[in-house]
Amino acid sequence: MTHTYAVVLAAGQGTRMKSKLYKVLHPVCGKPMVEHVVDHIEEIGAERIVTIVGHGAEKVQDQLGSRSEYALQAQQLGTAHAVLQADEALGKLTGTTLVICGDTPLIRPETMKALLAHHQETSAKATILTGIPEDPTGYGRILRDSKGYVERIVEQKDASTDELQVREINSGTYCFDNKALFAALKLVKNDNSQGEYYLPDVIEILKNQGNIVSAYATDDFEETLGVNDRIALSQAETLMRKLIAKKHMKNGVTIINPTNTYISADAVIGSDTVLQPGVIIEGTCEIGEDCLIGPNSHIKDSKIGHRTTVHSSVVTQSVIGEDTAVGPFAHIRPHSEIGNEAKIGNFVEIKKTKLGHHSKVSHLSYIGDAEVGERVNIGCGVITVNYDGKNKFITTIEDDSFVGCNSNLMAPVTIGQGAYVAAGSTITKNVPAQALSIGRVRQENKEGYVKKLNLK
């Protein structure tokens, strides 16, 4: 079995993006383009990945970390010059090298595997990934010989009338015999109007040496899309969303309106879960089976247990248990953990709180920096007063407690097991277990007082 390597071209500045963000770091479905590319390369089992960096090198390295080696292209002198920067890392190795651009996030691992397999089957020194668009205008055409091998690549401006009828085009992704690649790169010249060293020239060099150059045509031209501007970025987003939704629907997830549902590439969703229109699932999320994610919910970097409902709510960096109901219009802020068979109702905000199994915060409450036990009932309008303007403090509410409506719990404070807090109380001291705590001014009625004020 041949050794497989990859070179990712990620050194271009991307001026057409008109952005302060380096081009290959622009996200598609929540993840930088270059990270999608590296994900897919890892999936095909490449032994070494070398990413060619230039502008924004440190940011690309920060994003990919140890998943790749790096080579610097200090001056952008063309694609062949870029690949040549990997010579020190890969040049002496035996095997097959995939060369792919960091702005092509849609090329699937399955396509990469098929490209590599075709390369081996044809005993080629180079194999080009090609596509067949409806309209090939502007693309270099692939001209094949009678055996189906690549005769040459002809650019549109140089093509004859007959050659312009060819629809098969060069995608800009290749695989090469590794040693042949780096030997040919050293022969590429820059005698062109741009004064640059172009990777397609390697194809001509290998052909002139009598080597086989083959081509593998993907059955989905759209996956070859390279992102060079914001228009192409939006197209890539749309296409990837479609692919992601299709994958989940094949796995048993119901998506009511796929064109109006946004799912990150890293999301895991269980079967028989239903996603209603307007749902956004962002980052690394795990959603269980038989869940209902209601309209316009936004879930980010969170875990949702089986059979749980999230209705028109926001959940961020939190864990929600099984058979639990959240919303509508609830906000679960980071570092919260909601237990099983719990209820978070409408207009409730939870922040950095652990809420035990079977506990309820049904409506219009703020619970922050709290430890809430099991089977606790928190009434409407309850606030854990956790911040003094400088420091945050913890509120502890133990199992089987009941906190009445419109109560303020002045942290740090503990409500003991099975205790009751009367509605309208402001609690400033710990409440013992099984106690009733009332912290409000006694009501007085002054008969006839309104007449004395002459208000009526």
Side-chain angles (χ1 to χ4, degrees):
M1 183 176 177
T2 186
H3 298 284
T4 303
Y5 318 107
V7 174
V8 180
L9 303 182
Q13 188 171 3
T15 55
R16 281 185 281 172
M17 297 295 287
K18 293 182 169 58
S19 175
K20 294 181 288 296
L21 182 64
Y22 185 45
K23 181 174 78 166
V24 298
L25 295 179
H26 277 267
V28 174
C29 290
K31 181 185 291 187
M33 290 189 284
V34 71
E35 193 167 354
H36 283 292
V37 174
V38 171
D39 285 348
H40 298 163
I41 292 170
E42 287 178 336
E43 197 167 327
I44 68 172
E47 296 171 38
R48 293 178 68 176
I49 302 170
V50 179
T51 300
I52 310 302
V53 293
H55 295 285
E58 291 183 0
K59 292 182 179 178
V60 174
Q61 290 176 242
D62 288 344
Q63 184 66 43
L64 297 178
S66 61
R67 299 172 64 190
S68 175
E69 301 169 54
Y70 303 92
L72 178 66
Q73 186 187 26
Q75 289 182 284
Q76 276 62 63
L77 299 178
T79 49
H81 179 260
V83 178
L84 189 57
Q85 307 314 301
D87 185 33
E88 184 176 343
L90 302 179
K92 297 179 181 179
L93 301 179
T94 299
T96 301
T97 295
L98 175 73
V99 178
I100 187 168
C101 294
D103 61 3
T104 56
L106 298 171
I107 298 178
R108 297 168 296 153
E110 295 83 358
T111 300
M112 295 179 186
K113 288 178 182 177
L115 173 67
L116 290 164
H118 187 78
H119 179 75
Q120 297 301 320
E121 290 164 5
T122 56
S123 300
K125 291 295 184 184
T127 302
I128 306 166
L129 178 65
T130 66
I132 304 176
E134 286 296 321
D135 180 6
T137 302
Y139 290 97
R141 307 300 206 279
I142 299 295
L143 303 182
R144 296 180 184 248
D145 63 19
S146 59
K147 294 181 179 180
Y149 298 133
V150 174
E151 181 79 26
R152 61 194 176 97
I153 304 172
V154 60
E155 296 304 321
Q156 165 118 1
K157 61 183 175 58
D158 301 320
S160 67
T161 302
D162 287 342
E163 289 167 345
L164 288 174
Q165 302 308 306
V166 175
R167 288 173 48 211
E168 186 176 16
I169 61 92
N170 177 15
S171 73
T173 295
Y174 310 85
C175 62
F176 297 93
D177 174 273
N178 189 66
K179 287 188 175 179
L181 167 63
F182 286 100
L185 284 169
K186 293 164 186 172
L187 301 176
V188 174
K189 300 186 184 313
N190 66 338
D191 49 357
N192 53 66
S193 60
Q194 300 297 318
E196 294 188 351
Y197 300 87
Y198 294 130
L199 188 57
D201 289 351
V202 170
I203 300 299
E204 185 177 355
I205 290 168
L206 293 174
K207 281 291 296 180
N208 291 339
Q209 292 173 346
N211 297 301
I212 292 174
V213 175
S214 65
Y216 173 78
T218 174
D219 57 5
D220 182 5
F221 171 71
E222 290 179 329
E223 73 174 320
T224 67
L225 175 71
V227 176
N228 291 311
D229 56 27
R230 305 288 182 139
I231 297 169
L233 184 67
S234 70
Q235 292 169 340
E237 180 83 20
T238 299
L239 292 168
M240 186 168 285
R241 279 202 292 115
K242 185 189 298 184
L243 289 172
I244 291 170
K246 187 176 181 180
K247 177 190 75 173
H248 287 294
M249 289 188 286
K250 282 185 174 180
N251 289 336
V253 177
T254 296
I255 303 177
I256 302 300
N257 184 354
T259 61
N260 195 28
T261 302
Y262 303 80
I263 306 172
S264 95
D266 292 329
V268 176
I269 306 174
S271 64
D272 291 315
T273 284
V274 177
L275 307 183
Q276 294 186 333
V279 167
I280 299 174
I281 299 173
E282 187 179 352
T284 304
C285 287
E286 183 179 338
I287 298 175
E289 298 179 358
D290 302 293
C291 294
L292 174 62
I293 310 300
N296 303 311
S297 292
H298 185 180
I299 301 172
K300 180 177 180 180
D301 296 323
S302 295
K303 182 175 180 179
I304 311 294
H306 302 311
R307 299 173 300 280
T308 283
T309 297
V310 178
H311 191 325
S312 304
S313 296
V314 176
V315 181
T316 305
Q317 296 176 22
S318 293
V319 177
I320 297 176
E322 299 179 356
D323 302 290
T324 287
V326 175
F329 313 120
H331 188 184
I332 311 299
R333 290 171 56 192
H335 311 301
S336 294
E337 183 177 339
I338 311 301
N340 300 332
E341 298 184 52
K343 180 181 179 183
I344 306 296
N346 51 300
F347 302 105
V348 170
E349 182 176 355
I350 305 287
K351 174 254 179 185
K352 203 175 182 181
T353 287
K354 182 174 182 180
L355 187 83
H357 304 318
H358 310 284
S359 289
K360 298 186 292 184
V361 188
S362 293
H363 30 226
L364 296 160
S365 294
Y366 168 73
I367 309 298
D369 295 282
E371 294 280 342
V372 181
E374 298 184 5
R375 299 172 301 279
V376 171
N377 185 89
I378 296 178
C380 177
V382 170
I383 297 173
T384 57
V385 186
N386 58 332
Y387 185 47
D388 67 359
K390 184 177 180 181
N391 299 303
K392 299 288 180 72
F393 299 95
I394 300 296
T395 298
T396 301
I397 306 174
E398 296 181 353
D399 296 347
D400 301 300
S401 297
F402 182 100
V403 181
C405 295
N406 293 317
S407 294
N408 298 309
L409 308 181
M410 309 293 289
V413 72
T414 297
I415 310 301
Q417 183 174 354
Y420 270 56
V421 173
S425 294
T426 295
I427 302 300
T428 58
K429 297 185 294 185
N430 292 342
V431 179
Q434 304 296 319
L436 168 64
S437 183
I438 304 173
R440 59 193 183 213
V441 176
R442 185 178 298 275
Q443 179 176 329
E444 292 187 25
N445 296 329
K446 297 184 179 293
E447 298 288 344
Y449 193 78
V450 173
K451 284 186 177 181
K452 294 181 179 180
L453 297 176
N454 294 317
L455 296 176
K456 293 186 179 179

